[in-house]
Amino acid sequence: MTGNIYRGQAGLPFSSALRIYEPLEAFPAQQQETLRAAGAGQGSRAAVENAELMASLGRITRPDGDPFPTGRTDLVRVVPALAKQASAGAAHDAAESGSGTATADQADRLLYCPSQLVLRAGLAANALMEGIHGPLAQLLIPEEQRDKHQERIDEVRAHDGVSRVHTRASTWGIPFSWFCLFQESDPTDVVESEGHIVTVRIRAGIGKALERVSYAVAHLAMAAPDLDMLEDLTQLTEWLELFHPDSVVELDYGAVADKVYPDDSPLDVRLGIECLAEGDMTGAAAAYRRLASRWVPIRQLARAS
């Protein structure tokens, strides 16, 4: 389904995601069959996105006041592995056309990203409680509901083991640090519907992503050690290192893509870091201005009435 709900996110804040897709063998044995069955039983990618959105809208309108996911079902996103022997562009073209010219690895191997809604909801609630809006959050999410959800988290961990969180989410814009993982030559899907861009998804092998973020960390550590982005990149590196070496990283712009795409942010971030490393403050400032002109208006929407 690619209707108005999916395209516009029903008037909700723009939400973007950074996801890790892993091969089945990276998951606990007891989880592998569940993932395989869930992936095989789901429809199109748009249907998965719609199902997740509708479920979230349903939770906030429950009469019992419990906003947390129950864990009875967990959506799974599936993508083909990127070809190892072909270039990224050729692999993407083969996947789109169905020509079968990609390597056998790509044709036969699927990668999985479980939504992990129970675990992620718990982490988000904890972060909210510990933030500046903690007192308000305590009113909106009663302690009884938080305790009830903790039982669900314990049950999930008992079944699946200690889980790596496969998804990071951001509202009202994409963190600049995320763009360090990607380049303009990476496989990119532009999803359109009724004259609008529904989303843009960029994918890269986790090995390449780690090389790129390590490059950025090394240069920023020398040229701008006090920059907040350096801490973000360090945390991002630690997160990526948790996953299987054959994983794929995906940046899903979500509905904000319709406001910013075509988007040169990966290039501008890379140029900005290179300019800082070379002592070219004018070039670095120019790259930042381009980023700011693109993303500050989006972030200001968070405070619009």
Side-chain angles (χ1 to χ4, degrees), residues 179 182-183 186-189 200-204 248-253 261 263 266:
F179 292 119
F182 304 95
Q183 293 186 2
D186 290 333
T188 302
D189 296 331
V200 171
R201 302 189 188 102
I202 307 174
R203 289 187 293 278
V248 163
V249 188
E250 176 188 81
L251 173 58
D252 189 339
Y253 277 65
Y261 199 79
D263 179 33

Side-chain angles (χ1 to χ4, degrees), residues 27-45:
F27 296 92
Q30 64 270 27
Q31 192 181 2
Q32 291 181 18
E33 188 54 41
T34 302
L35 287 171
R36 186 186 289 109
Q42 289 174 175
S44 67
R45 179 67 180 268

Side-chain angles (χ1 to χ4, degrees), residues 47-83:
V48 173
E49 306 297 344
N50 266 321
E52 188 164 279
L53 176 59
M54 292 301 293
S56 68
L57 294 175
R59 288 194 295 273
I60 63 176
T61 57
R62 284 179 187 157
D64 62 1
D66 183 358
F68 292 105
T70 63
R72 283 192 291 268
T73 58
D74 194 27
L75 295 167
V76 178
R77 293 172 175 84
V78 182
V79 298
L82 297 178

Side-chain angles (χ1 to χ4, degrees), residues 12 17-18 21 48 57 118 124 141-142 145 168 172 186 219-220 235 247 252 259 265 289 298:
L12 296 174
L18 190 65
Y21 293 79
V48 173
L57 294 175
V118 168
I141 311 175
Q145 301 296 350
R168 293 190 167 200
W172 300 118
D186 290 333
H219 281 75
L220 287 181
Q235 294 176 358
S247 299
D252 189 339
K259 301 294 185 183
S265 295
R289 282 196 298 272
I298 300 296

